[in-house]
Amino acid sequence: MKTYSIALIPGDGIGPAVTEAAWQVVEAVARGADFTVHATRLPWSCDHYLETGAMMPEDGVEILRGRDAILLGAVGWPRKVPDSISLHGLLLPIRKAFRQYANIRPHRLLPGVEGPLRKSEFDILCVRENTEGEYSGAGGRVHQGTEDEVAVETAIFTRKGVERILRFGFEQARRRRGKLASVTKSNAQRHSMVFWDEVTHELAREYSDVEVTSYHIDAMAARMVMAPETLDVVVASNLFGDVLTDLGAAIQGGLGFAASANLNPDRSTLSMFEPVHGSAPDIAHLGIANPIAAIWSASMMLDHLGETDAAARIMQAIEAITARGMGTVPGEHKTDDITRAVLTALH
Ligand code: NAD
Ligand code: IPM
Ligand code: MN
């Protein structure tokens, strides 16, 4: 029987609660299937940083290598550790080290979830570049604290990086409804974003079966609210994709419903699965974090591992409980009650 070795990084705030919920669901679905799962729980978090001086050990990436996947909760607790340290010490280096260049984030309303829009028919797959662009980390500060202070943060767009994320988007569009929206800001940023538009047009010739439209990020933000039903696959750079996917989360009812996969599409190394949301310090100790985003992310993990039936069973269980109003209104149900309901629906 196939066994999957999964690294669990619960992290901070609501991370541990939602990761534990997702893991319970993974274990339950595995019991009824022909594979087993094994978890290695890694305590890497802001508390770990305060204890050891590092978010993860020096050989953290090596510890993860060799697992089949990573399931992560959330990282960051800005009152204890600056975000610029915690995220650059854990989440962001993992995405880069394992070349998880495609961050895919589905935005659709689960049955029973109303969302803030008056329309409900949309099904968007955001494909976010995940290893370069505005998150490249190139830059620096000089004359700190003086009136001559300078801060430089250079966005880096490589042909390899832009082409592979767009190609991934085109492939997704082919498998879905055949529409690709490429998002830039090439009217203002005339180097990197014009380059991105050019690569989009080059590839469009190869994927003549896909209907391609280029949008500026500002217009896309409005479209996601006013006409989300016109969108299928949306491809964007790292930072643009980050912002658009919190907007996507909002139109699907909130961050408690937004799942994501950090994929290494060529499968040369492992991928990571995590909800879009962060550690939610404002509700962290109330026991009311919605675990659905994390459970949905776990379903994406099983799907990526090839356990498509188990992945589908999890989605059916989630949809069965939201259809009867369980977990659809923020704060109305406890994390544990929603998790128990999903577990019951699985049987
Ligand atoms: P956040 O996503 O943690 O919270 C934003 C709002 O959404 C809050 O009001 C929160 O209560 C709510 N929310 C989030 N997840 C929820 C859930 N599952 N159920 C119900 N409500 C939920 O964003 P933030 O407050 O900007 O960030 C908090 C910390 O998390 C920061 O340190 C930030 O850097 C970090 N962060 C980490 C990740 C990650 O690990 N992938 C993602 C985003 C933010
Ligand atoms: C996300 C998060 C991260 C990002 C932060 C915490 C660095 O917001 O996964 O969307 O910007 O990628
Ligand atoms: Mn984000």
Side-chain angles (χ1 to χ4, degrees):
M1 203 190 297
K2 176 102 185 126
T3 296
Y4 297 104
S5 167
I6 309 298
L8 295 189
I9 307 179
D12 299 298
I14 64 170
V18 300
T19 308
E20 211 43 59
W23 187 250
Q24 279 183 41
V25 173
V26 169
E27 283 189 316
V29 82
R31 275 195 290 276
D34 58 355
F35 63 90
T36 57
V37 287
H38 176 266
T40 306
R41 288 180 169 74
L42 300 161
W44 306 343
S45 60
C46 288
D47 283 336
H48 188 74
Y49 177 87
L50 294 177
E51 281 160 29
T52 67
M55 291 298 292
M56 64 175 165
E58 236 171 77
D59 60 347
V61 165
E62 294 316 311
I63 293 171
L64 297 170
R65 208 185 294 282
R67 316 274 156 199
D68 293 298
I70 303 165
L71 190 60
L72 182 136
V75 180
W77 197 264
R79 263 174 295 166
K80 288 189 206 163
V81 180
D83 279 353
S84 57
I85 290 178
S86 57
L87 278 314
H88 286 275
L90 186 52
L91 180 71
L92 299 172
I94 293 174
R95 289 177 179 169
K96 286 181 184 164
F98 295 113
R99 297 185 299 283
Q100 296 164 349
Y101 67 79
N103 190 328
I104 64 168
R105 300 182 159 183
H107 302 298
R108 62 182 170 84
L109 283 167
L110 293 171
V113 180
E114 274 195 359
L117 306 180
R118 268 170 299 173
K119 54 185 80 182
S120 60
E121 293 306 312
F122 60 87
D123 180 356
I124 302 173
L125 186 72
C126 272
V127 173
R128 167 188 177 188
E129 201 292 318
N130 210 33
T131 53
E132 56 169 48
E134 308 87 344
Y135 282 44
S136 296
R141 289 173 67 175
V142 289
H143 308 308
Q144 256 170 285
T146 75
E147 62 181 19
D148 297 321
E149 184 153 8
V150 181
V152 178
E153 186 104 31
T154 307
I156 294 178
F157 289 84
T158 65
R159 179 168 283 276
K160 187 172 158 188
V162 173
E163 192 177 318
R164 69 185 179 187
I165 195 64
L166 282 164
R167 212 173 260 293
F168 183 86
F170 274 105
E171 296 291 341
Q172 295 297 313
R174 254 189 190 162
R175 261 177 257 157
R176 290 167 50 97
R177 301 190 304 281
K179 284 174 71 173
L180 182 102
S182 171
V183 181
T184 63
K185 185 64 187 172
S186 52
N187 50 357
Q189 297 187 298
R190 57 187 179 166
H191 306 300
S192 57
M193 297 282 99
V194 171
F195 169 57
W196 179 295
D197 282 352
E198 284 170 12
V199 178
T200 304
H201 295 312
E202 280 169 31
L203 288 176
R205 284 196 285 274
E206 228 180 282
Y207 293 89
S208 54
D209 50 325
V210 175
E211 184 193 320
V212 189
T213 313
S214 291
Y215 295 93
H216 295 306
I217 175 81
D218 44 358
M220 176 55 77
R223 178 170 289 268
M224 281 180 67
V225 173
M226 302 302 290
E229 72 284 358
T230 62
L231 297 165
D232 180 10
V233 175
V234 174
V235 187
S237 66
N238 212 331
L239 181 61
F240 288 179
D242 175 50
V243 177
L244 286 182
T245 53
D246 260 38
L247 179 53
I251 63 171
Q252 76 189 121
L255 280 150
F257 297 106
S260 87
N262 301 267
L263 295 182
N264 169 253
D266 61 28
R267 294 172 185 270
S268 56
T269 172
L270 70 168
S271 296
M272 174 166 66
F273 301 82
E274 51 161 343
V276 171
H277 65 72
S279 61
D282 53 341
I283 58 159
H285 298 294
L286 302 178
I288 54 164
N290 189 344
I292 289 177
I295 298 172
W296 187 340
S297 304
S299 163
M300 292 172 83
M301 176 179 82
L302 291 177
D303 194 61
H304 180 73
L305 292 172
E307 300 301 339
T308 47
D309 289 347
R313 282 189 57 210
I314 293 179
M315 289 316 294
Q316 282 156 13
I318 292 175
E319 289 177 2
I321 70 150
T322 60
R324 55 182 166 81
M326 174 50 111
T328 55
V329 178
E332 194 179 66
H333 296 104
K334 297 271 182 194
T335 311
D336 290 348
D337 294 334
I338 300 170
T339 309
R340 242 192 317 273
V342 173
L343 291 168
T344 307
L346 268 181
H347 298 308

